[in-house]
């Protein structure tokens, strides 16, 4: 993966450094492209056959081009590179190649000596496009260039005895030229785009080990294990050993209960013993499996074991998979168990197809295409809408504000992310969606749990209590508006310790404020929709029988027409967006239009409400795990690239990595559910003791994390 260096990053990396490009016109091209990363306004001017200096005095960066087209006595003084001019000057003779080998041999020890204290790169010669070469360059052939390159590589690699040469071969420009030289204007010099890529790769080679960008996968060492990661590795290792011991003991005990032979019939008679699975066994088994899964996570995205590649967006890489999964989703359909609006099967289906679309969006790099980006923002908003709708409905109908319910939800939402924060050494805010739904769940809980607690059973159709609940929602909306337009107050709240440890990213909470603000109203919209829907349902205004339209035929047709028009209007507006910042500013207020339109289109017709896609619903049940796991075992470099398990075969690679990714997500979902039953007991006294232990664990984790941060700085 190649990191695209910004001007500030390049200057920061090269501060107080002196870089020299020595060679002919093609090295001069590389020099110009390299300098333009530091200063895009630098002009290609001056005598072509002279030295060209560049200096950025603010950052004290000095880059020089030294004109030495041949390996001769003059170059020996500078200790550098040969290029194509040697072939031209000597008319491509074999004597020139022999002399070149002699000259390379004489400067090789000097290059090795220089390479002990500086980085020295020998740029292999690019191929030419012989059909476009002018008459005075016809003697430059790819066959001769290959001979010169082979000679340079052979001599430089054999210049040191019993050790590897310190002079590094820069061959990437040659590889790029093999694909793009036919676009050259003169058959000799690379097109501008190709040379810019070569220069950017050279910048990666020089700077990745200094700045350590996540999406620059070459030329930097594997990050050292932190103390927390080492402790996690020990814990999972002990869990695996503990489970294996438990399994062996259990198997030996089972063998003692061998089937006995019935003396009368002569047949084996089995001892039927139903041994219940103990909580300890489930606990050890779950942590054993989780330990193996986390080892895979680490190998994929931290150990530099597998390759990674950059994303390149095309319309076909996004829309063709979308059509494919749509066909599969329609093909696998079943009848719903109930025909209520947003029933469980339907919400699972909704989550499923949205998650699959988001996954395709991420792996195809479609965020660069603004219309797709705006529609994906609606899908993220729809997840949060379901958060508001689902949790409000539960608390309103059940009236269960107990600590067990809160702990269950928080555990299921956060368990995987907390483990990944520890194993992958990433801040909590990095997995931004989980902090978002966690905070909104707590907001919903506090809003409804605070005095006066108003639930459906208490209200019982009483307008006074309904009005009281609407006042609560109005106050919530007021708080949302205040925080949305008061960045300072928002940042002060979330910059307090220990909240700062959870919500800071790169030393500040701006990213968290941006994410929260982008969908600030949609959870409120979900709560309000749930309240209105449940009130209408209580008064039996809706017809939710099988095959029945939600309202009378006339009202249903009108609402369907309005919904379709609203849905298409939003899509037209999103597709016509020109400025991401301006569209993001409008998004919080208008995203609910398309969400409500979809809900009505999906639920007004009785036949649509009576069926669901089991294919999408299956993925919907593990949507959270899919969203989080993609960061490290499907995508790579913290979502900036694509994981490559099978190099050279993109189709097979995506099939294999996707299969593993989905299986892992499903397994983690099962592990989370199993552990939730054990770690979060229904008995309040036991639960409080567990919470005290969990609080102590997190305090220790925060302290260790703070110590690590200080040691890094």
């Amino acid at each position: 993966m190649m990191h695209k260096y910004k001007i500030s990053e390049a200057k920061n990396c090269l501060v107080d450094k002196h870089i020299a490009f020595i060679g002919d016109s093609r090295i001069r091209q590389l020099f110009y492209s390299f300098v333009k990363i530091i200063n895009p306004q630098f002009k290609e001017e001056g005598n072509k056959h002279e030295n060209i200096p560049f200096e950025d005095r603010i950052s004290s960066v000095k880059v020089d081009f030294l004109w030495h087209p041949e390996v001769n006595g003059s170059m020996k003084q500078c200790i550098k590179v040969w290029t194509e001019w040697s072939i031209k000057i000597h008319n491509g003779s074999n004597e020139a190649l022999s002399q070149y080998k002699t000259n390379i041999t004489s400067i090789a020890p000097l290059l090795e000596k220089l390479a002990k204290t500086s980085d020295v790169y020998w740029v292999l010669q690019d191929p030419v496009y012989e059909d476009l070469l002018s008459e005075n360059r016809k003697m430059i052939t790819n066959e001769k260039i290959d001979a010169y390159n082979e000679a340079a590589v052979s001599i430089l690699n054999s210049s040191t005895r019993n050790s590897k040469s310190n002079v590094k071969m820069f061959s990437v420009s040659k590889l790029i030229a093999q694909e793009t030289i036919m676009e050259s204007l003169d058959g000799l010099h690379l097109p501008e785009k190709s040379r810019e890529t070569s220069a950017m790769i050279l910048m990666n080679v020089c700077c990745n080990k200094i700045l350590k960008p996540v999406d620059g996968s070459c030329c930097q060492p594997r990050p050292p294990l932190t103390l927390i990661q080492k402790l996690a590795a020990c814990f999972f290792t002990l869990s695996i050993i503990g489970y294996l011991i438990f399994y062996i003991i259990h198997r030996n005990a089972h063998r003692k209960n061998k089937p006995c032979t019935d003396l009368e019939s002569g047949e084996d008679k089995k001892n039927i013993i139903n041994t219940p699975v103990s909580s300890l066994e489930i606990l050890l088994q779950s942590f054993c499996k989780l330990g193996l899964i986390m080892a895979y996570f680490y190998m994929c995205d931290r150990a530099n074991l597998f390759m990674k590649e950059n994303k390149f967006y095309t319309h076909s890489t996004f829309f063709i998979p979308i059509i494919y999964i749509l066909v599969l989703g329609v093909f696998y359909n079943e009848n719903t168990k109930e025909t209520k609006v947003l029933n469980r099967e339907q919400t699972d289906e909704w989550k499923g197809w949205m998650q699959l679309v988001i996954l395709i969006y991420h792996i195809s790099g479609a965020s660069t295409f603004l219309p797709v980006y705006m529609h994906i923002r609606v899908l993220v908003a729809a997840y949060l809408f379901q958060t508001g709708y689902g949790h409000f409905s539960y608390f309103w109908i059940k009236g269960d504000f107990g600590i067990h319910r809160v702990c269950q939800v928080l555990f299921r939402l956060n368990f995987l992310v907390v483990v990944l924060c520890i194993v992958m050494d990433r801040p909590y805010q990095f997995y931004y969606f989980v902090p978002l739904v966690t905070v909104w769940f707590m907001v919903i809980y506090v809003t409804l749990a605070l005095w006066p607690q108003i639930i459906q059973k208490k209200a019982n159709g009483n307008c006074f209590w309904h009005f009281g609940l609407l006042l609560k929602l109005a106050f919530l909306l007021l708080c949302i508006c205040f925080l949305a337009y008061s960045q300072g107050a928002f940042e002060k709240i979330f910059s307090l310790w220990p909240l700062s440890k959870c919500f800071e990213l790169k030393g500040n909470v701006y990213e968290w404020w941006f994410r929260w603000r982008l969908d600030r109203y949609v959870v409120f919209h979900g709560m309000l929709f749930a309240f209105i829907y449940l009130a209408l349902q209580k008064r039996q205004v809706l017809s939710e029988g099988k095959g029945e339209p939600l309202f009378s035929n006339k009202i249903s047709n009108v609402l369907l027409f309005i919904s379709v028009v609203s849905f298409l209007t939003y899509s037209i507006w999103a597709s016509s967006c020109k400025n991401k910042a301006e569209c993001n500013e409008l998004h919080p207020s208008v995203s609910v239009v398309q969400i409500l339109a979809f809900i009505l289109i999906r639920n007004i017709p009785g036949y649509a409400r009576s069926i669901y896609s089991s294919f999408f619903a299956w993925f919907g049940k593990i949507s959270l795990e899919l969203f989080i796991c993609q960061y490290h075992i499907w995508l790579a470099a913290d979502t900036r690239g694509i994981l490559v398990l099978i190099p050279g075969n993109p189709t097979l690679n995506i099939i294999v990595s996707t299969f593993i990714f989905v299986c892992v997500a499903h397994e983690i979902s099962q592990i989370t559910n199993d552990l939730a039953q054990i770690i979060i007991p229904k008995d309040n006294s036991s639960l409080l003791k567990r919470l005290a232990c969990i609080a102590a664990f997190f305090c220790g984790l925060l302290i260790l994390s703070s110590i690590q941060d200080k040691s890094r700085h």
Side-chain angles (χ1 to χ4, degrees):
M1 285 183 66
M2 181 181 73
H3 176 70
K4 291 189 177 180
Y5 276 87
K6 299 172 185 174
I7 297 170
S8 59
E9 290 177 321
K11 288 182 178 180
N12 186 32
C13 165
L14 302 174
V15 65
D16 294 328
K17 284 187 173 61
H18 183 195
I19 298 131
F21 290 78
I22 305 177
D24 67 344
S25 60
R26 296 208 276 190
I27 297 296
R28 184 175 62 227
Q29 271 194 317
L30 187 60
F31 159 79
Y32 277 128
S33 296
F34 188 86
V35 168
K36 283 181 179 178
I37 299 172
I38 306 165
N39 181 5
Q41 280 73 46
F42 188 73
K43 294 181 180 178
E44 299 183 22
E45 56 189 17
N47 195 318
K48 289 185 177 180
H49 296 172
E50 286 184 356
N51 299 342
I52 304 169
F54 167 81
E55 186 174 4
D56 186 288
R57 293 184 179 179
I58 297 171
S59 55
S60 300
V61 178
K62 192 176 180 184
V63 187
D64 290 329
F65 168 72
L66 305 177
W67 171 257
H68 287 282
E70 280 194 273
V71 177
N72 53 24
S74 174
M75 176 176 277
K76 191 173 179 180
Q77 297 300 316
C78 297
I79 319 170
K80 271 295 186 203
V81 140
W82 164 87
T83 63
E84 49 89 16
W85 279 88
S86 181
I87 302 173
K88 179 182 174 183
I89 291 169
H90 299 287
N91 203 30
S93 66
N94 291 327
E95 291 80 5
L97 179 59
S98 299
Q99 184 61 47
Y100 170 76
K101 290 179 179 178
T102 303
N103 291 343
I104 287 280
T105 304
S106 69
I107 69 166
L110 297 172
L111 287 172
E112 280 297 329
K113 187 176 180 181
L114 180 64
K116 289 179 180 178
T117 55
S118 305
D119 288 330
V120 177
Y121 297 94
W122 185 277
V123 183
L124 294 182
Q125 272 300 292
D126 303 336
V128 296
Y129 192 51
E130 296 178 18
D131 294 349
L132 284 179
L133 290 174
S134 58
E135 286 301 320
N136 64 337
R137 288 173 174 164
K138 285 291 184 184
M139 73 291 297
I140 306 172
T141 65
N142 287 323
E143 184 182 354
K144 289 187 172 68
I145 286 173
D146 289 341
Y148 275 68
N149 281 336
E150 286 171 13
V153 171
S154 175
I155 293 167
L156 290 172
N157 283 340
S158 61
S159 61
T160 56
R161 294 178 181 177
N162 304 323
S163 64
K164 190 178 179 182
S165 174
N166 292 316
V167 179
K168 303 174 184 73
M169 296 296 157
F170 191 75
S171 58
V172 68
S173 181
K174 178 188 170 191
L175 296 173
I176 292 170
Q178 287 172 354
E179 301 294 328
T180 61
I181 192 64
M182 59 285 300
E183 298 171 21
S184 169
L185 296 175
D186 59 6
L188 179 69
H189 298 98
L190 284 176
E192 187 172 0
K193 192 173 181 181
S194 299
R195 76 187 217 201
E196 284 174 357
T197 303
S198 294
M200 189 60 76
I201 292 173
L202 183 59
M203 185 67 78
N204 274 248
V205 170
C206 295
C207 293
N208 283 2
K209 58 182 176 288
I210 299 169
L211 298 186
K212 297 180 174 62
V214 173
D215 59 341
S217 61
C218 89
C219 321
Q220 57 173 312
R222 179 179 61 81
L225 287 171
T226 65
L227 176 60
I228 294 174
Q229 285 176 307
K230 289 174 183 176
L231 291 173
C234 290
F235 172 78
F236 285 123
T237 304
L238 289 173
S239 297
I240 293 168
I241 294 168
Y243 177 69
L244 290 174
I245 293 169
F246 194 95
Y247 176 76
I248 291 165
I249 293 169
H250 186 268
R251 189 179 63 174
N252 289 339
H254 185 70
R255 278 179 176 175
K256 290 178 182 178
N257 297 311
K258 289 181 179 179
C260 57
T261 305
D262 191 310
L263 296 176
E264 292 182 7
S265 64
E267 295 178 356
D268 284 347
K269 184 179 177 182
K270 293 183 180 178
N271 294 323
I272 300 170
I273 302 172
N274 293 320
T275 53
V277 180
S278 68
S279 296
L280 179 62
E281 184 178 359
I282 295 171
L283 200 66
L284 287 172
Q285 186 184 49
S286 297
F287 281 124
C288 175
K289 289 192 287 186
L290 189 63
L292 295 173
I293 290 169
M294 287 301 114
Y296 178 68
F297 269 76
Y298 188 85
M299 286 190 293
C300 286
D301 207 22
R302 286 295 175 273
N304 294 337
L305 187 64
F306 299 112
M307 291 175 64
K308 305 171 179 71
E309 63 183 12
N310 290 96
K311 302 174 189 177
F312 294 99
Y313 174 73
T314 61
H315 292 322
S316 60
T317 57
F318 177 74
F319 289 105
I320 290 175
I322 293 289
I323 294 167
Y324 181 68
I325 64 159
L326 182 64
V327 171
L328 282 174
V330 171
F331 183 76
Y332 292 99
N333 63 76
E334 296 178 16
N335 292 324
T336 58
K337 293 177 182 176
E338 55 181 356
T339 55
K340 292 180 179 178
V341 172
L342 293 180
N343 56 66
R344 183 58 184 266
E345 289 100 339
Q346 193 184 124
T347 53
D348 283 341
E349 173 202 89
W350 192 7
K351 288 177 187 175
W353 70 257
M354 288 195 302
Q355 186 56 61
L356 291 174
V357 171
I358 289 170
L359 290 174
I360 294 167
Y361 164 81
H362 281 151
I363 203 164
S364 64
S367 58
T368 56
F369 186 47
L370 194 53
V372 172
Y373 167 82
M374 290 307 300
H375 281 87
I376 295 298
R377 285 256 43 94
V378 176
L379 300 190
V380 175
Y383 266 103
L384 293 169
F385 182 93
Q386 283 198 50
T387 297
Y389 171 83
H391 291 306
F392 179 93
S393 299
Y394 179 87
F395 290 128
W396 175 251
I397 296 169
K398 302 281 187 182
D400 177 12
F401 295 101
I403 193 170
H404 178 262
R405 166 69 182 176
V406 175
C407 291
Q408 279 275 341
V409 173
L410 292 179
F411 184 88
R412 290 174 190 275
L413 287 176
N414 290 276
F415 173 71
L416 175 57
V417 164
V418 169
V419 173
L420 286 176
C421 288
I422 293 168
V423 173
M424 306 302 286
D425 189 28
R426 281 291 169 264
Y428 180 63
Q429 181 55 35
F430 175 74
Y431 307 94
Y432 75 92
F433 186 74
V434 172
L436 208 53
V437 291
T438 300
V439 167
W440 278 118
F441 167 72
M442 292 307 299
V443 167
I444 296 164
Y445 176 77
V446 170
T447 302
L448 297 177
L450 281 178
W451 183 90
Q453 283 187 8
I454 305 170
I455 60 173
Q456 190 178 62
K457 190 175 180 180
K458 182 188 282 188
N460 197 25
N462 190 317
C463 293
F464 173 77
W465 288 113
H466 285 168
F467 180 71
L469 184 62
L470 288 173
L471 281 178
K472 275 191 168 188
L473 293 177
F475 180 72
L476 172 61
L477 181 61
L478 193 66
C479 292
I480 292 169
C481 292
F482 171 74
L483 290 174
Y485 293 101
S486 179
Q487 185 178 350
F490 186 95
E491 290 185 351
K492 280 180 182 177
I493 293 168
F494 288 98
S495 294
L496 296 171
W497 196 91
L499 289 178
S500 59
K501 293 299 296 179
C502 295
F503 296 101
E504 278 186 358
L505 195 65
K506 297 178 182 176
N508 59 68
V509 295
Y510 174 78
E511 180 73 14
W512 166 234
W513 182 76
F514 171 77
R515 294 286 185 185
W516 176 86
R517 193 172 182 270
L518 201 54
D519 294 300
R520 58 187 178 272
Y521 299 129
V522 76
V523 174
F524 169 81
H525 291 147
M527 295 170 71
L528 189 60
F529 174 82
F531 173 70
I532 294 169
Y533 162 66
L534 292 170
L536 292 175
Q537 188 187 61
K538 187 74 174 174
R539 286 172 170 74
Q540 298 182 339
V541 174
L542 307 174
S543 303
E544 294 183 299
K546 191 170 184 178
E548 296 178 2
L550 204 58
F551 304 96
S552 64
N553 287 333
K554 188 176 181 180
I555 294 173
S556 294
N557 290 336
V558 170
L559 285 175
L560 268 176
F561 176 76
I562 293 170
S563 299
V564 171
V565 170
S566 301
F567 191 94
L568 294 175
T569 302
Y570 181 90
S571 288
I572 292 166
W573 171 78
S575 301
S576 62
C577 271
K578 302 298 180 188
N579 185 292
K580 184 183 281 190
E582 290 176 4
C583 292
N584 277 344
E585 197 64 36
L586 286 171
H587 167 78
S589 304
V590 299
S591 61
V592 71
V593 173
Q594 197 164 42
I595 294 169
L596 290 177
F598 171 79
I599 292 171
L600 292 175
I601 293 168
R602 182 71 179 82
N603 286 278
I604 286 176
Y607 61 86
R609 216 168 52 248
S610 302
I611 59 169
Y612 77 104
S613 168
S614 55
F615 176 78
F616 290 143
W618 188 87
F619 285 99
K621 289 171 184 173
I622 58 169
S623 59
L624 183 66
E625 288 77 14
L626 287 170
F627 188 86
I628 299 165
C629 289
Q630 67 168 326
Y631 279 69
H632 303 295
I633 61 168
W634 198 52
L635 304 175
D638 296 342
T639 75
R640 291 179 176 89
I642 299 169
L643 178 67
V644 181
L645 297 177
I646 304 172
N649 195 329
T651 305
L652 183 60
N653 175 68
I654 204 70
I655 291 170
V656 172
S657 66
T658 301
F659 177 76
I660 296 171
F661 160 57
V662 173
C663 289
V664 166
H666 183 266
E667 194 61 37
I668 289 175
S669 177
Q670 292 292 110
I671 291 169
T672 305
N673 289 333
D674 290 342
L675 290 176
Q677 301 302 320
I678 298 169
I679 296 174
I680 313 295
K682 291 183 179 179
D683 178 54
N684 279 344
S685 60
S686 301
L687 179 56
L688 289 172
K689 290 175 186 175
R690 300 272 174 89
L691 287 178
C693 294
I694 292 169
F697 168 76
F698 277 109
C699 284
L701 200 62
L702 288 170
I703 291 166
L704 283 174
S705 179
S706 298
I707 293 168
Q708 278 182 187
D709 290 343
K710 285 179 182 178
S711 64
R712 281 172 182 166
H713 294 306

